[in-house]
Structures are given as structure tokens and as C-alpha cells.
Amino acid sequence: MRLARLPRSRSLPATVVLVAALISLLAGCSLPFGDASNTPSLPTATATPRPPTPEEIAAQMVSKMSLEDKLGQMIIMQFYEPTYTPAQQQMVKPFHPGGVILYGYSMGTAQQVKDLLAGGQKDSPIPMFTFLDLEGGLVDRLAQYLGPRMSAPKMAASGDPAIARAEGAKTAKDLLSFGFNADLAPDVDISIVCSTDQWGRTFGKTPDAVTQYASAWIDGLQSSGVVGVPKHFPGLGAAVIDAHKGLPVINRTKEQLEETEFAPFKALIASGQMQMVMSTDVLMPALDVDLPAEISKPIITGVLRNELGFKGVAITDALYMQGITDRFSFTQAAIMAFEAGNDMIMAPWRPNMIQAIITGMKVELQNGKITQQQIDASVTRILALKIRYNLISGITGGATPTITPSTTKTPATTPTTGSAVWCG
């Protein structure tokens, strides 16, 4: 179902429509107390109305959306072919997903990547977040087109956060040139042990080093118009098992986690730089003895939201990691992730998978395990972030996202020379 009641005019963006509505509402208000005849006359000059916030605009949009469109916004699908085929179109047109991610196997030539993303956006009444996994170094899915870029350890070893900031800005420019507007980076795990999964990907062995260089890098990225997604909450730095191949179990105390693993996330939340975050498939018995982090309510709602105060968009890692699939179906894991407090899940690749998630969510809504208020809050956060990055400037069918720089700033830091090194 399309957003029939959302503003369709290309000439009246959502901000203008909402401001006009607010002005109209204020004009019709009467004074609440006393006799109007005894009220002193008001000055003829009136103050300029306060512009609505992204959250207020998003809430207005949400109030006009169908349940199906709301649930669609909570899904990050993946394209599994390098061209925008009718089969892939069937994931976009009926469901209006909130995002799409590309992995290496769906990336053909540079032009194919651009056409694939543009095709999906053309059929999206609300522009999608378009994700890529690009950290630099070993994790760089644009290297085949643009050549290699600096890794996190090398940035930190330079001793100059300005280098990390410049690398973040260059990454944003490269991503935007292909049509990507969100990056699953930086990796803010702290290298506590040397594992095959984290080798060559982290900024250092201490919270200060990781925070300093991750902060600079994400500032460069986001000030150039791409949403950064710090990962892997609540932290994979002490994992000795690759989360793609099994379920890492980290037996550290809550106090240890707070002092080390949580520290970069907490700092990026406090600075306002962490507007989206990715959780992952790790078991931390000190936080939840049974469920992996990305589907754990004590971790996503309890720690991330309530203890650390994160108010942005929380997304899962891919829900077909081995530690998930050994116990749950994709649909089960997706519903559990929403119940845990996530706003978006990754990454179904077939229309029937998306349909199963939406159907399951409706059942959970009827059973009271998920509330309408929770859904609305998630979609409001998603749309507000899209507005903040100018992906939404008005809801018009086939709109092309327009990206302009954000105003995120990095807190002042003192360079830490050589504190981040390759492990191995």
C-alpha cells in the first residue's frame, strides 16, 4: 500500500507543509484564561514561528502512514543480483523497505552498482538508506573500483586524527558517487585479543585510542553527508570466534564491559556523533545468559537505550550469522530483534522473507508483544534521520535522494601517537 495520504507535491516539501499547518493552527487558537475584552492588545509584529524539528516532521509523516508502510521502513533488504531485475523490484514496490544493503556478490561494474541503487530508489516512495560495508583496509567493497584506502590501524598509528578525518571525508565522497548514503563503519571494537575476524580492523587496544580516531573518522564521513554506523555493539574485541561462523561467548564482568567495550559507544553517543548503531551476534552472560546481543532486550533496550542513553536508530547485524541460524529461523530472529528494541533488521533477500516478517509482526502486535507505540517510535527515528541527512525533502514518487553535509562536530582530542597497531 502506497503512502496515499502523504504530501505528493514536488514543490511543497514536508517542512513547508508542516510549518503552514502549525501557523494555521496557531492562528485559530483563542486565549485560554480571562475576559478577552480586558486583554491588552498584542503587538502587530509577530515572532517568526520556530521551524519544526526533524522528529516533529517525522511524527507527522508517521501519523499518515499505513501499518504496512511503517513495518516496511523497519526492514533493510539486500539486493542479490547486480542488476535491478523484476524479481528484486518485487521487494521494493510492494513493501517500501527502509533500506537496502549490497554485498560483494551483488556488485558488478561500477555503472551496474549505480544503476542498481538508482532503480531501487526510483521505486521507493520514501528514499531508502543505501548501505555498504566500507571500513578501509581489508573491508572495502569499493576497492575494486577505486583502489585501496587506509586501514584503521594505520590511521591510528599515524598519530594524527586529522588523517582519520580526511579518510572519512574521502570515503563519504566515494560512497555518494555510487549512490550509497550510509556506511557500516567505523569498527569501534577494542583489540583485547587478536582474532581472525577483527585483525586489521580496529583503531587500537585502548578505549581512548579507539574513541579518538573513530570520532575523527566518523566526523569526516558525516560532515560530508554519509551516515556512519559504529559497530559491533556491545563489542567484539574479546571474541576468539568469528561471529560469521559461530557464536562468540565473552565472559567479562559488567564492570569490565563498561570500562572498556562500552566506552567508545558511550563517548560517541555523548558527542552526538552516533546517530545509528549496529549490534551483533555475541553472547555476553554478564548482560544476558541466553540470547545474542542483537536479539536481546536486556542489551538493546536495557544497556544501549536505558543505560547509555542512545536515542538514534539501532540496527542488527545480518540475521543469518551462524550463532543465530543454529537456533532461530530468519523470521523468528527478526521479530525477536524488534521485540528487543531494534529499529531496523538486516537483511532479507526474497519477497517472501519480507512478507513473513511483516505478517509475523502483525501477529505480535495483536498479541501485545510489540506495541503500536514502539513501532511508531522506531519509524519516527528512522524518518527523522533521513530528514536530517536530506534524504527526505518531501515525499514524491520516484524522488532522488539529495545529500548535503551535516553539522556534526568532533570533540577536541589530544593525539595519541602509535597507540593503535596491527594484531597478529
Side-chain angles (χ1 to χ4, degrees), residues 28-362:
C29 290
S30 60
L31 294 172
F33 301 109
D35 185 350
S37 63
N38 295 325
T39 303
S41 59
L42 296 175
T44 55
T46 57
T48 303
R50 175 183 62 80
T53 66
E55 287 73 20
E56 289 168 341
I57 299 170
Q60 285 287 325
M61 292 172 60
V62 169
S63 71
K64 295 175 171 61
M65 293 172 67
S66 68
L67 176 59
E68 288 77 11
D69 277 325
K70 292 176 184 178
L71 296 177
Q73 284 298 298
M74 299 172 74
I75 293 172
I76 301 168
M77 64 174 182
Q78 64 170 293
F79 284 143
Y80 56 92
E81 297 177 276
T83 57
Y84 191 54
T85 63
Q88 299 202 117
Q89 186 182 52
Q90 286 307 307
M91 292 189 290
V92 180
K93 275 198 166 182
F95 301 112
H96 304 162
V100 62
I101 185 169
L102 301 191
Y103 295 110
Y105 49 76
S106 62
M107 299 174 70
T109 66
Q111 192 59 51
Q112 281 180 309
V113 173
K114 296 173 185 179
D115 292 345
L116 178 58
L117 294 175
Q121 292 287 33
K122 183 178 179 181
D123 287 332
S124 299
I126 297 178
M128 294 183 289
F129 284 124
T130 48
F131 293 88
L132 194 66
D133 212 345
L134 200 167
E135 302 168 11
L138 299 175
V139 182
D140 183 355
R141 291 193 169 94
L142 292 186
Q144 59 181 312
Y145 314 109
L146 302 174
R149 67 192 72 227
M150 190 177 289
S151 68
K154 287 187 176 180
M155 287 182 233
S158 74
D160 186 359
I163 291 176
R165 188 174 292 105
E167 284 293 315
K170 180 181 183 300
T171 296
K173 179 182 177 181
D174 292 342
L175 287 165
L176 292 171
S177 73
F178 280 77
F180 295 103
N181 54 48
D183 188 10
L184 297 181
D187 184 335
V188 298
D189 295 315
I190 295 165
S191 185
I192 299 170
V193 301
C194 189
S195 70
T196 56
D197 182 37
Q198 294 298 300
W199 187 85
R201 299 174 63 188
T202 69
F203 287 101
K205 297 182 177 181
T206 67
D208 288 346
V210 171
T211 299
Q212 182 179 33
Y213 286 92
S215 176
W217 188 91
I218 199 172
D219 177 64
L221 185 84
Q222 294 189 154
S223 64
S224 299
V226 171
V227 183
V229 189
K231 61 185 182 185
H232 306 80
F233 185 80
L236 283 176
V240 294
I241 295 175
D242 186 337
H244 297 86
K245 301 175 182 178
L247 178 63
V249 178
I250 296 178
N251 286 302
R252 286 166 59 81
T253 67
K254 179 77 175 296
E255 291 73 19
Q256 288 174 317
L257 296 171
E258 288 173 341
E259 291 176 2
T260 305
E261 282 91 335
F262 296 174
F265 296 102
K266 185 176 181 179
L268 292 175
I269 291 170
S271 71
Q273 291 174 289
M274 196 167 92
Q275 300 170 60
M276 184 180 282
V277 66
M278 189 184 84
S279 56
T280 198
D281 189 26
V282 60
L283 186 67
M284 290 183 168
L287 307 178
D288 189 325
V289 297
D290 183 45
L291 294 176
E294 60 190 342
I295 58 173
S296 165
K297 189 168 185 176
I299 294 177
I300 302 301
T301 296
V303 175
L304 181 63
R305 297 285 191 198
N306 296 341
E307 293 183 24
L308 300 184
F310 181 63
K311 300 183 185 303
V313 176
I315 72 174
T316 70
D317 207 332
L319 291 176
Y320 40 80
M321 305 282 266
Q322 195 67 41
I324 296 288
T325 59
D326 282 348
R327 294 178 60 186
F328 308 104
S329 72
F330 193 96
T331 301
Q332 287 175 318
I335 292 171
M336 293 174 74
F338 289 134
E339 290 176 348
N342 288 285
D343 301 304
M344 305 181 83
I345 59 98
M346 292 198 299
W349 63 92
R350 300 284 187 190
N352 64 331
M353 297 174 73
I354 299 176
Q355 183 62 70
I357 294 168
I358 290 175
T359 300
M361 286 287 284
K362 289 180 178 179

